[in-house]
Amino acid sequence: MTFFPTLDLVELLFSSLPAHGHTYPLLPLAIAARAQGHHVTYAIAESFHPVLTALGFDVVAAGPEMMAAFAEAAGRPLDAGPIKPHELGEDELHQVASRAFTEIMPRGFARDLKPILAETKPDLVVYEVANPGAAIAAKAVGVPALAHGFGRAGFAGDDDDDSLRDWGKGLVAIAAEHGVSLDADRIFEFGDPYVDIYPSSIQHPDHRDTENRVPLRPVPFAEPGELPEWVTEHREPLIYLTLGTAFGQAEVLRTAIAGLAATGARVLVAAGPTVDIAALGEVPPSVTVESWVPQADLLPHLDLIVHHGGSGTTLGALGAGVPQLFLPQGADQFINADAVVGAGAGKKLLAGEITGESVSTAAKALLSDSATAAAVRALAEEIAAMPTPDEVAKRLPEFAG
Protein backbone atom coordinates (compact mmCIF):
# COMPACT_ATOMS: atom_id res chain seq x y z
CA MET A 1 0.00 0.00 0.00
CA THR A 2 1.29 3.46 -0.92
CA PHE A 3 0.85 6.27 1.55
CA PHE A 4 0.77 9.89 0.40
CA PRO A 5 1.77 12.65 2.80
CA THR A 6 -1.09 14.79 4.03
CA LEU A 7 -0.72 18.52 3.52
CA ASP A 8 -0.49 20.34 6.84
CA LEU A 9 -3.41 22.74 6.98
CA VAL A 10 -2.91 26.14 8.54
CA GLU A 11 -4.97 29.13 9.60
CA LEU A 12 -4.09 32.10 7.38
CA LEU A 13 -4.88 35.79 7.65
CA PHE A 14 -4.32 37.87 4.52
CA SER A 15 -4.34 41.67 4.64
CA SER A 16 -3.84 44.42 2.07
CA LEU A 17 -4.64 48.06 1.52
CA PRO A 18 -8.19 48.62 0.22
CA ALA A 19 -7.32 49.34 -3.41
CA HIS A 20 -7.51 47.13 -6.50
CA GLY A 21 -3.80 47.41 -7.27
CA HIS A 22 -2.90 46.38 -3.72
CA THR A 23 -5.48 43.64 -3.13
CA TYR A 24 -5.88 41.82 -6.45
CA PRO A 25 -2.23 40.66 -6.64
CA LEU A 26 -2.72 38.68 -3.40
CA LEU A 27 -5.91 36.92 -4.45
CA PRO A 28 -4.41 34.14 -6.64
CA LEU A 29 -2.34 32.87 -3.69
CA ALA A 30 -5.25 33.25 -1.27
CA ILE A 31 -7.56 31.40 -3.67
CA ALA A 32 -5.01 28.60 -4.14
CA ALA A 33 -4.51 28.29 -0.38
CA ARG A 34 -8.25 28.00 0.23
CA ALA A 35 -8.57 25.42 -2.56
CA GLN A 36 -5.94 23.30 -0.79
CA GLY A 37 -7.94 23.30 2.42
CA HIS A 38 -6.23 26.09 4.35
CA HIS A 39 -8.63 28.42 6.13
CA VAL A 40 -8.30 31.98 4.86
CA THR A 41 -9.52 35.10 6.64
CA TYR A 42 -9.05 38.42 4.86
CA ALA A 43 -8.61 41.62 6.90
CA ILE A 44 -9.38 44.80 4.99
CA ALA A 45 -11.70 47.80 4.96
CA GLU A 46 -15.36 47.03 4.29
CA SER A 47 -15.48 48.32 0.70
CA PHE A 48 -13.64 45.17 -0.43
CA HIS A 49 -15.70 42.70 1.60
CA PRO A 50 -18.23 41.90 -1.16
CA VAL A 51 -15.64 40.67 -3.69
CA LEU A 52 -13.82 38.68 -0.99
CA THR A 53 -16.91 37.02 0.46
CA ALA A 54 -17.95 36.11 -3.10
CA LEU A 55 -14.66 34.21 -3.33
CA GLY A 56 -15.52 32.28 -0.18
CA PHE A 57 -13.21 34.01 2.30
CA ASP A 58 -14.13 34.99 5.82
CA VAL A 59 -13.58 38.72 6.23
CA VAL A 60 -12.89 41.07 9.13
CA ALA A 61 -12.90 44.85 9.03
CA ALA A 62 -9.47 46.42 9.53
CA GLY A 63 -7.82 49.67 8.59
CA PRO A 64 -9.25 52.83 7.05
CA GLU A 65 -10.70 53.15 3.58
CA MET A 66 -8.21 54.56 1.09
CA MET A 67 -10.36 57.60 0.31
CA ALA A 68 -10.76 58.39 4.00
CA ALA A 69 -7.02 58.05 4.62
CA PHE A 70 -6.15 60.46 1.82
CA ALA A 71 -8.83 62.93 2.89
CA GLU A 72 -7.45 62.92 6.43
CA ALA A 73 -3.89 63.29 5.13
CA ALA A 74 -4.92 66.30 3.04
CA GLY A 75 -6.99 67.85 5.83
CA ARG A 76 -10.14 67.75 3.70
CA PRO A 77 -13.64 66.63 4.67
CA LEU A 78 -14.52 63.19 3.34
CA ASP A 79 -17.74 64.43 1.74
CA ALA A 80 -15.72 66.77 -0.49
CA GLY A 81 -15.20 63.86 -2.89
CA PRO A 82 -12.15 61.79 -3.83
CA ILE A 83 -8.75 63.42 -4.07
CA LYS A 84 -7.51 63.25 -7.65
CA PRO A 85 -3.70 62.93 -7.77
CA HIS A 86 -3.32 65.02 -10.93
CA GLU A 87 -5.09 67.95 -9.23
CA LEU A 88 -2.41 68.24 -6.54
CA GLY A 89 0.98 69.85 -6.95
CA GLU A 90 3.98 67.52 -6.83
CA ASP A 91 5.05 68.58 -3.33
CA GLU A 92 1.51 68.44 -1.93
CA LEU A 93 0.90 65.03 -3.50
CA HIS A 94 4.10 63.69 -1.97
CA GLN A 95 3.18 65.02 1.48
CA VAL A 96 -0.38 63.67 1.32
CA ALA A 97 0.69 60.26 0.03
CA SER A 98 3.50 60.03 2.56
CA ARG A 99 1.19 60.75 5.48
CA ALA A 100 -1.50 58.39 4.19
CA PHE A 101 0.86 55.46 3.52
CA THR A 102 3.28 55.82 6.43
CA GLU A 103 1.10 57.23 9.20
CA ILE A 104 -2.67 56.97 8.79
CA MET A 105 -3.08 53.59 7.12
CA PRO A 106 -0.36 51.69 9.00
CA ARG A 107 -1.50 53.12 12.33
CA GLY A 108 -5.11 52.13 11.57
CA PHE A 109 -4.23 48.60 10.45
CA ALA A 110 -1.89 47.99 13.39
CA ARG A 111 -4.53 49.25 15.84
CA ASP A 112 -7.35 47.15 14.34
CA LEU A 113 -5.41 43.97 13.60
CA LYS A 114 -3.49 43.59 16.86
CA PRO A 115 -6.52 42.52 18.95
CA ILE A 116 -7.86 40.37 16.10
CA LEU A 117 -4.58 38.47 15.86
CA ALA A 118 -4.33 38.14 19.64
CA GLU A 119 -7.80 36.57 19.75
CA THR A 120 -7.74 34.37 16.62
CA LYS A 121 -4.05 33.38 16.73
CA PRO A 122 -3.60 32.45 13.05
CA ASP A 123 -0.63 30.35 12.06
CA LEU A 124 0.57 32.88 9.47
CA VAL A 125 -0.15 36.44 8.38
CA VAL A 126 0.31 37.21 4.69
CA TYR A 127 0.50 40.98 4.35
CA GLU A 128 0.75 43.11 1.26
CA VAL A 129 4.09 44.86 1.37
CA ALA A 130 2.54 48.35 1.28
CA ASN A 131 0.52 47.47 4.38
CA PRO A 132 3.19 47.62 7.11
CA GLY A 133 0.53 48.07 9.79
CA ALA A 134 -0.35 44.40 9.36
CA ALA A 135 3.32 43.45 9.72
CA ILE A 136 3.62 45.52 12.90
CA ALA A 137 0.50 43.89 14.38
CA ALA A 138 1.84 40.41 13.57
CA LYS A 139 5.19 41.16 15.20
CA ALA A 140 3.50 42.69 18.26
CA VAL A 141 1.48 39.50 18.83
CA GLY A 142 4.26 37.11 17.83
CA VAL A 143 2.58 35.62 14.74
CA PRO A 144 4.87 34.60 11.84
CA ALA A 145 4.39 36.74 8.76
CA LEU A 146 5.04 36.65 5.04
CA ALA A 147 5.31 39.80 2.93
CA HIS A 148 3.60 39.70 -0.48
CA GLY A 149 4.69 42.11 -3.19
CA PHE A 150 2.42 43.83 -5.68
CA GLY A 151 5.06 45.28 -7.99
CA ARG A 152 8.73 46.10 -8.34
CA ALA A 153 10.46 46.05 -4.98
CA GLY A 154 12.21 49.38 -5.46
CA PHE A 155 8.97 51.29 -4.97
CA ALA A 156 9.52 51.22 -1.22
CA GLY A 157 13.05 52.53 -1.09
CA ASP A 158 14.85 52.83 -4.40
CA ASP A 159 18.48 53.68 -3.78
CA ASP A 160 18.21 56.43 -6.37
CA ASP A 161 15.21 58.12 -4.77
CA ASP A 162 15.79 59.67 -1.35
CA SER A 163 12.16 60.82 -1.12
CA LEU A 164 10.90 57.24 -1.31
CA ARG A 165 13.46 55.99 1.21
CA ASP A 166 12.44 58.72 3.66
CA TRP A 167 8.84 57.50 3.64
CA GLY A 168 9.70 54.66 6.01
CA LYS A 169 10.87 56.79 8.91
CA GLY A 170 7.37 57.37 10.32
CA LEU A 171 6.81 53.63 10.65
CA VAL A 172 9.38 53.37 13.42
CA ALA A 173 7.26 55.44 15.81
CA ILE A 174 4.09 53.48 15.01
CA ALA A 175 5.89 50.19 15.62
CA ALA A 176 7.20 51.51 18.95
CA GLU A 177 3.60 52.21 20.03
CA HIS A 178 3.08 48.43 19.87
CA GLY A 179 6.39 47.44 21.41
CA VAL A 180 7.98 46.55 18.09
CA SER A 181 11.46 47.72 17.13
CA LEU A 182 12.03 48.50 13.44
CA ASP A 183 15.17 49.44 11.54
CA ALA A 184 14.42 52.73 9.77
CA ASP A 185 16.75 51.73 6.94
CA ARG A 186 15.00 48.40 6.36
CA ILE A 187 11.31 49.00 6.04
CA PHE A 188 10.57 47.02 2.88
CA GLU A 189 9.66 43.54 4.11
CA PHE A 190 10.88 43.88 7.72
CA GLY A 191 13.10 40.82 7.31
CA ASP A 192 10.14 38.52 6.61
CA PRO A 193 10.15 36.11 3.66
CA TYR A 194 9.03 38.02 0.58
CA VAL A 195 6.65 36.64 -2.05
CA ASP A 196 7.88 38.31 -5.22
CA ILE A 197 5.63 38.42 -8.30
CA TYR A 198 8.05 40.52 -10.36
CA PRO A 199 10.27 38.75 -12.94
CA SER A 200 13.81 38.51 -11.61
CA SER A 201 15.39 39.91 -14.80
CA ILE A 202 13.70 43.31 -14.29
CA GLN A 203 13.44 43.29 -10.50
CA HIS A 204 15.25 45.93 -8.44
CA PRO A 205 18.91 44.76 -8.20
CA ASP A 206 18.85 44.79 -4.39
CA HIS A 207 15.94 42.35 -4.35
CA ARG A 208 16.97 39.84 -6.99
CA ASP A 209 17.80 36.33 -5.82
CA THR A 210 17.90 37.35 -2.16
CA GLU A 211 17.79 34.67 0.52
CA ASN A 212 14.26 35.50 1.66
CA ARG A 213 12.73 35.82 -1.85
CA VAL A 214 9.85 33.46 -2.67
CA PRO A 215 9.08 33.81 -6.40
CA LEU A 216 5.44 33.58 -7.45
CA ARG A 217 4.02 33.80 -10.97
CA PRO A 218 1.83 36.93 -11.30
CA VAL A 219 -1.67 35.80 -12.24
CA PRO A 220 -4.13 38.52 -13.27
CA PHE A 221 -7.35 38.66 -11.29
CA ALA A 222 -10.54 40.40 -12.32
CA GLU A 223 -14.11 40.25 -11.14
CA PRO A 224 -16.30 38.24 -13.53
CA GLY A 225 -17.61 40.09 -16.56
CA GLU A 226 -18.38 39.83 -20.25
CA LEU A 227 -16.09 40.98 -23.02
CA PRO A 228 -17.62 42.64 -26.09
CA GLU A 229 -18.35 39.89 -28.62
CA TRP A 230 -16.18 41.44 -31.29
CA VAL A 231 -13.04 41.16 -29.13
CA THR A 232 -12.53 37.48 -29.91
CA GLU A 233 -13.31 37.95 -33.60
CA HIS A 234 -11.41 41.11 -34.50
CA ARG A 235 -9.38 41.13 -37.70
CA GLU A 236 -7.49 44.37 -37.17
CA PRO A 237 -4.91 44.71 -34.38
CA LEU A 238 -6.61 45.22 -31.01
CA ILE A 239 -5.34 47.95 -28.69
CA TYR A 240 -6.54 48.36 -25.11
CA LEU A 241 -6.36 51.76 -23.40
CA THR A 242 -6.73 52.26 -19.65
CA LEU A 243 -5.46 54.60 -16.96
CA GLY A 244 -6.55 52.28 -14.14
CA THR A 245 -8.84 52.84 -11.18
CA ALA A 246 -7.18 55.84 -9.50
CA PHE A 247 -5.31 57.96 -12.06
CA GLY A 248 -7.83 58.40 -14.87
CA GLN A 249 -7.86 61.75 -16.68
CA ALA A 250 -10.35 62.53 -19.44
CA GLU A 251 -7.89 64.80 -21.26
CA VAL A 252 -5.19 62.14 -21.44
CA LEU A 253 -7.69 59.52 -22.58
CA ARG A 254 -9.07 61.83 -25.31
CA THR A 255 -5.58 62.51 -26.63
CA ALA A 256 -4.64 58.83 -26.59
CA ILE A 257 -7.90 57.82 -28.28
CA ALA A 258 -7.24 60.22 -31.15
CA GLY A 259 -3.72 58.89 -31.61
CA LEU A 260 -4.68 55.22 -31.41
CA ALA A 261 -7.61 55.62 -33.80
CA ALA A 262 -5.11 56.91 -36.38
CA THR A 263 -3.27 53.56 -36.34
CA GLY A 264 -6.14 51.73 -38.08
CA ALA A 265 -6.49 49.31 -35.14
CA ARG A 266 -9.59 48.48 -33.13
CA VAL A 267 -9.41 50.24 -29.77
CA LEU A 268 -11.12 49.23 -26.55
CA VAL A 269 -11.06 51.81 -23.75
CA ALA A 270 -11.78 51.27 -20.06
CA ALA A 271 -12.60 54.73 -18.72
CA GLY A 272 -12.42 53.57 -15.10
CA PRO A 273 -14.27 54.88 -12.03
CA THR A 274 -12.67 58.33 -12.07
CA VAL A 275 -13.69 59.37 -15.61
CA ASP A 276 -17.23 59.98 -16.85
CA ILE A 277 -17.58 58.40 -20.30
CA ALA A 278 -19.52 61.46 -21.44
CA ALA A 279 -16.40 63.57 -20.78
CA LEU A 280 -14.62 61.72 -23.59
CA GLY A 281 -17.06 63.06 -26.18
CA GLU A 282 -17.78 61.39 -29.51
CA VAL A 283 -15.19 58.77 -30.44
CA PRO A 284 -14.23 57.34 -33.87
CA PRO A 285 -16.11 54.23 -35.11
CA SER A 286 -13.06 52.03 -34.46
CA VAL A 287 -13.10 52.91 -30.74
CA THR A 288 -15.32 51.30 -28.09
CA VAL A 289 -15.48 52.87 -24.64
CA GLU A 290 -16.63 51.00 -21.53
CA SER A 291 -16.57 52.04 -17.89
CA TRP A 292 -14.97 48.71 -16.95
CA VAL A 293 -13.85 45.52 -18.67
CA PRO A 294 -12.69 42.18 -17.19
CA GLN A 295 -9.05 42.94 -17.86
CA ALA A 296 -7.68 39.50 -16.95
CA ASP A 297 -9.91 37.94 -19.62
CA LEU A 298 -9.06 40.61 -22.17
CA LEU A 299 -5.26 40.46 -22.02
CA PRO A 300 -4.75 37.29 -24.13
CA HIS A 301 -6.62 38.90 -27.05
CA LEU A 302 -4.52 42.07 -27.25
CA ASP A 303 -1.88 43.16 -29.73
CA LEU A 304 -0.93 46.25 -27.68
CA ILE A 305 -1.85 47.80 -24.36
CA VAL A 306 -1.57 51.53 -23.65
CA HIS A 307 -1.80 52.28 -19.95
CA HIS A 308 -0.71 54.15 -16.85
CA GLY A 309 1.83 51.60 -15.64
CA GLY A 310 0.10 50.19 -12.58
CA SER A 311 1.82 47.03 -11.38
CA GLY A 312 -1.16 44.74 -11.94
CA THR A 313 -1.66 45.88 -15.51
CA THR A 314 2.06 45.83 -16.23
CA LEU A 315 2.56 42.29 -14.94
CA GLY A 316 -0.63 41.01 -16.53
CA ALA A 317 0.48 42.31 -19.91
CA LEU A 318 3.97 40.84 -19.46
CA GLY A 319 2.54 37.43 -18.67
CA ALA A 320 0.21 37.57 -21.67
CA GLY A 321 3.07 38.56 -23.99
CA VAL A 322 1.64 41.97 -24.93
CA PRO A 323 3.85 44.97 -25.82
CA GLN A 324 3.16 48.04 -23.70
CA LEU A 325 3.01 51.80 -24.22
CA PHE A 326 3.22 53.54 -20.86
CA LEU A 327 1.60 56.89 -20.05
CA PRO A 328 2.69 57.00 -16.37
CA GLN A 329 0.78 59.35 -14.08
CA GLY A 330 2.19 58.75 -10.59
CA ALA A 331 2.95 56.29 -7.75
CA ASP A 332 5.07 53.32 -8.89
CA GLN A 333 4.05 53.72 -12.54
CA PHE A 334 7.30 55.39 -13.61
CA ILE A 335 9.28 52.55 -12.02
CA ASN A 336 7.29 49.91 -13.90
CA ALA A 337 7.61 51.83 -17.15
CA ASP A 338 11.38 52.14 -16.79
CA ALA A 339 11.75 48.43 -15.99
CA VAL A 340 9.80 47.26 -19.03
CA VAL A 341 11.19 49.87 -21.42
CA GLY A 342 14.70 49.06 -20.20
CA ALA A 343 14.10 45.43 -21.16
CA GLY A 344 13.07 46.47 -24.67
CA ALA A 345 9.45 45.33 -24.20
CA GLY A 346 7.72 48.69 -24.45
CA LYS A 347 7.86 52.46 -24.78
CA LYS A 348 6.82 55.36 -22.54
CA LEU A 349 5.55 58.88 -23.04
CA LEU A 350 5.72 61.33 -20.14
CA ALA A 351 3.12 64.01 -19.48
CA GLY A 352 4.66 66.70 -21.69
CA GLU A 353 5.21 64.22 -24.53
CA ILE A 354 1.66 62.89 -24.86
CA THR A 355 0.09 64.08 -28.10
CA GLY A 356 -2.09 62.33 -30.63
CA GLU A 357 0.84 62.11 -33.02
CA SER A 358 3.34 60.77 -30.46
CA VAL A 359 0.87 58.14 -29.24
CA SER A 360 0.13 57.04 -32.80
CA THR A 361 3.81 56.86 -33.74
CA ALA A 362 4.77 54.88 -30.65
CA ALA A 363 1.83 52.50 -31.04
CA LYS A 364 2.62 51.76 -34.69
CA ALA A 365 6.27 51.08 -33.80
CA LEU A 366 5.34 48.67 -31.01
CA LEU A 367 2.91 46.78 -33.24
CA SER A 368 5.53 46.17 -35.91
CA ASP A 369 8.95 45.99 -34.23
CA SER A 370 10.46 42.49 -34.18
CA ALA A 371 13.01 43.33 -31.46
CA THR A 372 10.20 44.44 -29.16
CA ALA A 373 8.27 41.26 -29.92
CA ALA A 374 11.30 39.14 -29.00
CA ALA A 375 11.79 41.00 -25.70
CA VAL A 376 8.09 40.65 -24.87
CA ARG A 377 8.22 36.94 -25.63
CA ALA A 378 11.29 36.42 -23.43
CA LEU A 379 9.61 38.08 -20.43
CA ALA A 380 6.43 36.08 -20.95
CA GLU A 381 8.48 32.87 -20.97
CA GLU A 382 10.28 33.96 -17.79
CA ILE A 383 6.95 34.55 -16.05
CA ALA A 384 5.57 31.22 -17.27
CA ALA A 385 8.52 29.47 -15.61
CA MET A 386 7.84 31.06 -12.20
CA PRO A 387 6.15 28.90 -9.52
CA THR A 388 2.35 28.88 -9.71
CA PRO A 389 0.05 30.01 -6.88
CA ASP A 390 -0.75 26.34 -6.20
CA GLU A 391 2.94 25.52 -5.82
CA VAL A 392 3.60 28.42 -3.47
CA ALA A 393 0.43 27.74 -1.47
CA LYS A 394 1.77 24.26 -0.69
CA ARG A 395 4.78 25.93 0.93
CA LEU A 396 2.78 28.16 3.29
CA PRO A 397 2.90 25.70 6.23
CA GLU A 398 6.72 25.95 6.28
CA PHE A 399 6.44 29.68 7.03
CA ALA A 400 3.80 29.21 9.73
CA GLY A 401 4.47 28.93 13.44
Side-chain angles (χ1 to χ4, degrees), residues 289-315:
V289 180
E290 305 281 356
S291 293
W292 174 88
V293 298
Q295 185 169 291
D297 298 327
L298 174 65
L299 288 169
H301 301 287
L302 299 179
D303 296 287
L304 174 66
I305 182 168
V306 182
H307 67 108
H308 55 306
S311 291
T313 303
T314 299
L315 291 169

Side-chain angles (χ1 to χ4, degrees), residues 211-256:
E211 191 175 291
N212 68 342
R213 182 176 183 263
V214 181
L216 169 65
R217 184 187 306 171
V219 176
F221 173 86
E223 296 177 51
E226 295 293 330
L227 291 172
E229 291 184 4
W230 60 264
V231 164
T232 58
E233 303 171 354
H234 68 281
R235 296 182 179 181
E236 307 89 347
L238 174 56
I239 301 174
Y240 173 50
L241 170 63
T242 177
L243 294 180
T245 58
F247 286 83
Q249 294 188 53
E251 181 180 356
V252 176
L253 288 175
R254 285 195 299 267
T255 300

Side-chain angles (χ1 to χ4, degrees), residues 107-170:
R107 181 168 276 115
F109 271 95
R111 177 197 63 227
D112 295 347
L113 272 176
K114 185 177 177 181
I116 292 172
L117 295 179
E119 179 181 352
T120 61
K121 296 181 174 61
D123 298 298
L124 180 68
V125 170
V126 181
Y127 65 92
E128 180 241 325
V129 74
N131 184 16
I136 291 169
K139 292 184 185 304
V141 177
V143 177
L146 189 66
H148 192 305
F150 68 87
R152 194 170 190 261
F155 88 92
D158 196 307
D159 291 339
D160 298 326
D161 192 335
D162 290 338
S163 64
L164 287 176
R165 187 166 55 246
D166 288 345
W167 278 22
K169 294 180 180 178

Side-chain angles (χ1 to χ4, degrees), residues 36-316:
Q36 292 177 11
H38 302 296
H39 183 256
V40 177
T41 299
Y42 212 108
I44 194 170
E46 292 183 357
S47 61
F48 272 78
H49 287 194
V51 66
L52 295 169
T53 55
L55 292 171
F57 301 132
D58 290 338
V59 294
V60 293
E65 297 285 0
M66 187 75 77
M67 187 185 301
F70 269 76
E72 181 180 345
R76 299 184 184 182
L78 185 58
D79 59 9
I83 293 175
K84 297 180 179 180
H86 65 275
E87 294 178 351
L88 302 179
E90 184 176 346
D91 289 342
E92 183 182 5
L93 177 59
H94 173 75
Q95 291 171 3
V96 169
S98 178
R99 186 163 181 238
F101 280 104
T102 68
E103 294 181 33
I104 296 168
M105 285 188 285
R107 181 168 276 115
F109 271 95
R111 177 197 63 227
D112 295 347
L113 272 176
K114 185 177 177 181
I116 292 172
L117 295 179
E119 179 181 352
T120 61
K121 296 181 174 61
D123 298 298
L124 180 68
V125 170
V126 181
Y127 65 92
E128 180 241 325
V129 74
N131 184 16
I136 291 169
K139 292 184 185 304
V141 177
V143 177
L146 189 66
H148 192 305
F150 68 87
R152 194 170 190 261
F155 88 92
D158 196 307
D159 291 339
D160 298 326
D161 192 335
D162 290 338
S163 64
L164 287 176
R165 187 166 55 246
D166 288 345
W167 278 22
K169 294 180 180 178
L171 299 176
V172 175
I174 297 172
E177 294 170 6
H178 297 277
V180 174
S181 177
L182 289 185
D183 182 347
D185 293 324
R186 191 179 185 187
I187 50 87
F188 180 60
E189 76 298 298
F190 304 107
D192 295 320
Y194 174 61
V195 176
D196 188 3
I197 63 173
Y198 224 74
S200 180
S201 66
I202 58 173
Q203 179 56 282
H204 188 284
D206 289 350
H207 296 274
R208 281 182 203 148
D209 305 319
T210 56
E211 191 175 291
N212 68 342
R213 182 176 183 263
V214 181
L216 169 65
R217 184 187 306 171
V219 176
F221 173 86
E223 296 177 51
E226 295 293 330
L227 291 172
E229 291 184 4
W230 60 264
V231 164
T232 58
E233 303 171 354
H234 68 281
R235 296 182 179 181
E236 307 89 347
L238 174 56
I239 301 174
Y240 173 50
L241 170 63
T242 177
L243 294 180
T245 58
F247 286 83
Q249 294 188 53
E251 181 180 356
V252 176
L253 288 175
R254 285 195 299 267
T255 300
I257 287 170
L260 296 176
T263 66
R266 288 295 302 266
V267 181
L268 178 59
V269 182
T274 61
V275 175
D276 185 348
I277 290 179
L280 300 180
E282 186 175 352
V283 299
S286 61
V287 178
T288 299
V289 180
E290 305 281 356
S291 293
W292 174 88
V293 298
Q295 185 169 291
D297 298 327
L298 174 65
L299 288 169
H301 301 287
L302 299 179
D303 296 287
L304 174 66
I305 182 168
V306 182
H307 67 108
H308 55 306
S311 291
T313 303
T314 299
L315 291 169

